[in-house]
């Protein structure tokens, strides 16, 4: 199965700056990669999906890149706000399709300081 | 409103008891999943189901059981055989890849189970 590594330490960013989170995987190249946001005591919420043939995907202040050579995805939040503080999870399909469930990283805790 | 509902939000269990966690979705999704989340850990897959009356074990199925008698419902039973059941349990659903490529998972709000 896939092994996923995300920054295990909390990431502290000053409000207004760009936050960059990293997701590295070690086994097969997935057909796509997803990012989720999770707030304390709540279920994850889907943010973005990027396919293997896409280099970059944007949604409002969010940007995701996918480098299949490096086996890495970067997740950027521009003009960060305190409300962006949460844990961000990277997820990949187990079998290449996703019907067998997603493998999640442990997540990176992002703190945006006013 | 369409969504996925878990109940209860908090659950306390005595050692040796079985408990059942509820998960209902009205999104018309074929696939449903149960994950467990422990502090500092990622989500770990317990069981999943792609169709009614069929389900498969995930990475940590020991001590758990599920059923899928209806498309909308995927209850999880934590049995007394689960040695360390205290955790945050998350149910999710999605379309199958054949229905819509690369689809996302929709999660419930979770059930926090504590053994007392």
């Amino acid at each position: 199965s896939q092994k996923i590594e995300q920054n295990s330490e909390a990431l502290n960013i000053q409000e207004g700056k760009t936050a960059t989170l990293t997701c590295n995987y070690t086994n097969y190249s997935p057909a796509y990669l997803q990012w989720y946001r999770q707030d304390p005591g709540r279920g994850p919420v889907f943010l973005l999906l990027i396919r293997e043939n896409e280099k970059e995907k944007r949604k409002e202040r969010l940007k995701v890149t996918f480098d299949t050579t490096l086996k890495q995805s970067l997740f950027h939040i521009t003009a960060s706000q305190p409300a962006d503080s949460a844990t961000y999870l990277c997820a990949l399909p187990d079998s290449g399709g996703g019907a067998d469930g997603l493998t999640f990283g442990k997540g990176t805790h992002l703190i945006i300081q006013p | 409103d369409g969504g996925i509902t878990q109940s209860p939000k908090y659950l306390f269990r005595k050692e040796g008891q079985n408990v059942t966690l509820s998960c209902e979705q009205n999104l018309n999704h074929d696939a449903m999943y149960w994950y467990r989340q422990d502090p500092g850990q990622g989500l770990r897959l317990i069981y999943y189901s792609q169709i009614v009356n069929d389900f498969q074990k995930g990475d940590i199925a020991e001590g758990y059981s599920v059923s899928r008698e209806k498309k909308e419902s995927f209850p999880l039973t934590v049995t007394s055989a689960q040695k360390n059941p205290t955790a945050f349990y998350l149910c999710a659903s999605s379309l199958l890849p054949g229905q819509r490529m690369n689809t996302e998972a929709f999660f419930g709000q979770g059930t926090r189970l504590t053994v007392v």
Side-chain angles (χ1 to χ4, degrees):
Chain A
S1 61
Q2 195 68 270
K3 184 175 180 181
I4 301 173
E5 295 180 357
Q6 293 188 254
N7 310 51
S8 57
E9 297 180 3
L11 184 62
N12 284 272
I13 300 293
Q14 190 174 5
E15 182 177 7
K17 303 291 186 183
T18 296
T20 298
L21 286 65
T22 304
C23 174
N24 295 296
Y25 58 94
T26 57
N27 294 337
Y28 59 87
S29 289
Y32 59 87
L33 184 149
Q34 300 180 1
W35 284 89
Y36 289 78
R37 169 182 172 143
Q38 186 176 24
D39 291 287
R42 303 179 73 87
V45 175
F46 171 79
L47 295 174
L48 278 170
L49 179 152
I50 186 165
R51 297 180 177 84
E52 61 181 339
N53 61 348
E54 297 176 319
K55 295 288 187 186
E56 181 180 298
K57 198 80 168 281
R58 291 176 184 262
K59 180 182 176 182
E60 298 173 351
R61 293 184 297 110
L62 308 180
K63 184 179 83 171
V64 173
T65 62
F66 194 9
D67 189 326
T68 55
T69 301
L70 293 178
K71 295 189 175 182
Q72 180 182 80
S73 174
L74 298 179
F75 177 81
H76 306 272
I77 304 176
T78 59
S80 59
Q81 305 166 1
D84 295 325
S85 299
T87 296
Y88 291 86
L89 306 172
C90 168
L92 284 77
D94 255 347
S95 63
D100 297 341
L102 295 166
T103 297
F104 285 82
K106 294 182 180 180
T108 297
H109 184 43
L110 177 64
I111 301 169
I112 306 299
Q113 297 177 335
Chain B
D1 287 334
I4 181 164
T5 302
Q6 291 186 241
S7 63
K9 188 171 182 179
Y10 299 97
L11 187 58
F12 296 88
R13 191 195 91 172
K14 292 183 180 179
E15 285 192 28
Q17 284 184 335
N18 293 353
V19 288
T20 297
L21 283 59
S22 171
C23 179
E24 303 277 334
Q25 54 99 0
N26 60 3
L27 299 167
N28 200 32
H29 286 165
D30 282 304
M32 296 188 74
Y33 313 88
W34 275 104
Y35 290 91
R36 170 181 172 144
Q37 188 174 35
D38 295 282
Q41 299 289 323
L43 279 67
R44 292 183 290 168
L45 184 63
I46 304 172
Y47 268 98
Y48 64 98
S49 169
Q50 299 177 10
I51 194 170
V52 174
N53 293 322
D54 189 43
F55 47 82
Q56 284 76 40
K57 293 181 179 180
D59 299 322
I60 56 166
E62 186 175 351
Y64 300 97
S65 66
V66 293
S67 63
R68 188 86 186 274
E69 298 177 1
K70 298 186 299 181
K71 186 177 183 178
E72 303 78 21
S73 180
F74 191 41
L76 173 74
T77 296
V78 184
T79 74
S80 57
Q82 170 51 235
K83 299 304 179 187
N84 186 22
T86 295
F88 189 48
Y89 290 87
L90 288 160
C91 180
S93 71
S94 71
L95 294 171
L96 291 174
Q99 296 167 316
R100 177 184 159 189
M101 275 297 294
N102 310 332
T103 187
E104 68 266 27
F106 291 79
F107 283 85
Q109 290 305 299
T111 294
R112 187 166 299 279
L113 173 64
T114 303
V115 174
V116 297

